[in-house]
Amino acid sequence: MKVLIVGNGGRESAIADTVKRFHTDAQIFVAPGNGGTAKAFTNVPIAADQIDALAEFAKDEQIDFTIVGPEVPLVLGIVDRFEALGIKVFGPNKVCAQFEGSKRFTKEFLMRNDIPTAKYASFNSDEVEACVAEVENFSLPVVVKADGLAAGKGVLICESYEDAKKEIREIFSGKFEGAGDTIVLEEFLTGIEASLLCFVDGKTIVPMETARDYKRALDDDKGLNTGGMGGFSPNPIITADVKKVIDKKILEPIITGFQKENLDFKGVLFIGLMIENGEPKVLEFNVRFGDPETQSVLPRLKTDLIEICNACIEGRLDEINMEWDERQSVTLVMSSKGYPETSHKGDVIEGLDTLNPETYLFHAGTKKVGDEIQTDGGRVLAITSLAGNLEEARANVYEELKKIRFYGMQYRTDIAK
Ligand code: AMP
Ligand code: GLY
């Protein structure tokens, strides 16, 4: 079997490893991949947003199965492109990818289907003054969001109306380019966040094990927002009781809504939740695996990932008996110096071959130069440990971390604390 994974991060490394775990003889291509996938698999020098070139490659190479990691190609319509050529691909089509490509699209869907979420208002770029005026109808802090994809930077939590109005004008003036043609204002929700990644086949939604992500760069949730600096799975905030509420108030109406609105969503729906006093509300939808949630969740998967993804495509998810490792996972991300503001590249990474064989190592911002693995900026590596409890898994990853060295290595010391 030939499998193509689109993307180059820690998430794609985890997807490729998980495929390999069940298909030891599979030929795995990663486009464009990283230093780790260059070693373990075959990298293809095509960027994730080059959807025509990727489709051509998949056709020429007779790829049997493609899994798309990042949101950009999904929003660009990579799935429709592959399907038109008759190539099997896992991910939502362009229409359904709007759940990540447009925050307004998602808010309107949530409201129409009575799914709990923050109160909101949305405006186009010809409604600047109306948007500025509306801000004062929200309590402080108020959340200002660029509607489209802004590489994780488009959400601003404003402590004053003045600040919010300034942000609104900047966004409408092109701060986030096309992503800011529409703005969503939101009520600020308090509580604890959780990530729930779900497989969806159009008519059935099956959540994976729960996870938690640490978005801020520094300890104690200080510093700038990042792609995610670590995580763990399962997430104890989602108790059995909360799960029941999620099923009834969120998952069931999502599936009913998809069917009512003829949205043939097939792929991973990532539901960002805020939970307070046992009541979950939807913060956002993503249409793909999370990063680093995937590095925490997939090592616990005991069922063939390709079989699950294939069942999603064929509308047979209800036939799959998904099994999970009972153990707790903890994932720690190591980033390059200065992340997320600046990036340092080209530093040699040492110690990777001294890790305990039971530790999962996922490359992200790395490149292979001769026999060396060097940093390539951003989030560089992630390691995951599984253990009987959170404390043990946490102790393991921090012990393993001591073996890895590169210039300016940056990480949080309070993951899973
Ligand atoms: P989003 O991309 O919409 O998930 O926003 C990124 C992050 O901003 C979330 O993970 C939350 O930490 C925060 N956030 C977004 N919307 C809200 C909200 N309405 N209330 C509180 N925090 C929010
Ligand atoms: N970890 C958050 C995300 O993947 O969007």
Side-chain angles (χ1 to χ4, degrees):
M1 183 170 61
K2 288 184 172 182
V3 179
L4 170 65
I5 317 280
V6 177
N8 63 353
R11 164 185 49 210
E12 288 75 20
S13 297
I15 293 170
D17 279 10
T18 309
V19 170
K20 190 76 183 168
R21 214 156 28 92
F22 292 89
H23 298 270
T24 46
D25 56 350
Q27 197 179 352
I28 299 178
F29 299 87
V30 189
N34 55 44
T37 57
K39 243 174 131 175
F41 310 109
T42 305
N43 279 357
V44 181
I46 305 175
D49 61 355
Q50 299 300 305
I51 64 175
D52 288 333
L54 288 168
E56 217 166 283
F57 169 80
K59 187 133 188 90
D60 291 348
E61 196 62 47
Q62 297 184 307
I63 298 290
D64 298 294
F65 206 93
T66 298
I67 300 179
V68 184
E71 61 276 15
V72 170
L74 292 166
V75 170
L76 289 173
I78 190 171
V79 168
D80 311 59
R81 184 87 192 86
F82 273 54
E83 281 176 350
L85 294 173
I87 316 168
K88 208 156 217 183
V89 59
F90 177 73
N93 59 28
K94 191 172 182 178
V95 168
C96 292
Q98 289 178 91
F99 281 116
E100 182 155 2
S102 165
K103 294 187 192 296
R104 174 190 260 177
F105 182 88
T106 295
K107 289 304 265 190
E108 289 176 349
F109 174 85
L110 294 171
M111 298 308 279
R112 275 196 304 274
N113 292 285
D114 259 330
I115 298 168
T117 187
K119 192 183 101 179
Y120 85 107
S122 61
F123 299 88
N124 294 325
S125 53
D126 56 1
E127 301 170 308
V128 181
E129 296 313 317
C131 183
V132 164
E134 180 69 17
V135 150
E136 297 199 18
N137 292 329
F138 287 82
S139 315
L140 288 172
V142 53
V143 187
V144 178
K145 297 185 175 183
D147 182 66
L149 296 184
K153 298 191 179 114
V155 174
L156 302 146
I157 295 168
C158 302
E159 302 289 342
S160 72
Y161 293 128
E162 212 171 47
D163 200 22
K165 290 174 184 181
K166 185 173 141 269
E167 292 292 354
I168 290 168
R169 293 191 192 283
E170 283 180 15
I171 295 173
F172 278 140
S173 302
K175 180 176 180 179
F176 298 120
E177 299 174 6
D181 289 346
T182 296
I183 284 180
V184 173
L185 301 178
E186 264 181 41
E187 158 198 26
F188 180 77
L189 297 178
T190 52
I192 299 183
E193 285 188 52
S195 307
L196 190 64
L197 281 59
C198 306
F199 289 107
V200 186
D201 75 351
K203 52 186 198 305
T204 304
I205 184 164
V206 179
M208 301 179 210
E209 288 285 285
T210 58
R212 150 102 205 248
D213 168 25
Y214 290 81
K215 286 211 164 73
R216 301 294 194 99
L218 307 175
D219 282 12
D220 299 321
D221 288 331
K222 301 238 162 60
L224 295 173
N225 255 327
T226 69
M229 295 301 290
F232 55 80
S233 169
N235 183 343
I237 182 80
I238 304 193
T239 59
D241 283 344
V242 173
K243 236 180 209 146
K244 278 188 207 146
V245 181
I246 292 174
D247 273 343
K248 184 135 193 56
K249 292 196 177 170
I250 297 177
L251 302 186
E252 285 174 23
I254 285 175
I255 277 297
T256 312
F258 283 172
Q259 304 217 291
K260 223 167 41 194
E261 303 187 14
N262 284 319
L263 292 164
D264 192 20
F265 192 111
K266 293 178 170 176
V268 170
L269 182 69
F270 169 135
I271 308 175
L273 295 166
M274 187 71 93
I275 300 168
E276 192 172 42
N277 302 324
E279 286 296 326
K281 287 187 177 164
V282 174
L283 274 179
E284 62 161 347
F285 281 169
N286 296 317
V287 297
R288 49 166 176 84
F289 286 99
D291 189 340
E293 287 88 341
T294 303
Q295 294 89 304
S296 291
V297 169
L298 286 189
R300 299 185 53 219
L301 182 63
K302 287 168 67 179
T303 307
D304 175 7
L305 179 63
I306 295 278
E307 189 189 338
I308 301 171
C309 294
N310 198 31
C312 286
I313 294 173
E314 294 176 355
R316 307 181 280 102
L317 188 54
D318 56 350
E319 291 173 11
I320 301 285
N321 177 26
M322 226 178 285
E323 289 188 78
W324 297 94
D325 194 317
E326 291 294 322
R327 288 175 296 168
Q328 177 80 44
S329 70
V330 172
T331 301
L332 184 61
V333 170
M334 285 143 266
S335 73
S336 74
K337 185 177 160 71
Y339 175 75
E341 281 178 301
T342 59
S343 227
H344 214 269
K345 296 185 182 187
D347 305 304
V348 178
I349 306 174
E350 288 174 304
L352 295 179
D353 48 8
T354 64
L355 294 181
N356 182 329
E358 289 187 0
T359 301
Y360 291 81
L361 167 68
F362 303 116
H363 286 247
T366 67
K367 59 176 183 264
K368 188 169 174 287
V369 181
D371 286 336
E372 276 176 7
I373 297 290
Q374 299 185 357
T375 63
D376 199 25
R379 290 184 287 177
V380 174
L381 298 164
I383 49 175
T384 297
S385 275
L386 299 185
N389 59 56
L390 196 66
E391 290 68 32
E392 211 182 307
R394 174 184 149 73
N396 285 346
V397 282
Y398 279 101
E399 205 48 48
E400 289 292 276
L401 171 86
K402 292 182 191 160
K403 302 177 182 169
I404 301 174
R405 289 176 307 279
F406 60 86
Y407 169 75
M409 183 166 92
Q410 186 181 307
Y411 58 90
R412 276 180 64 155
T413 68
D414 64 344
I415 302 299
K417 203 167 186 173

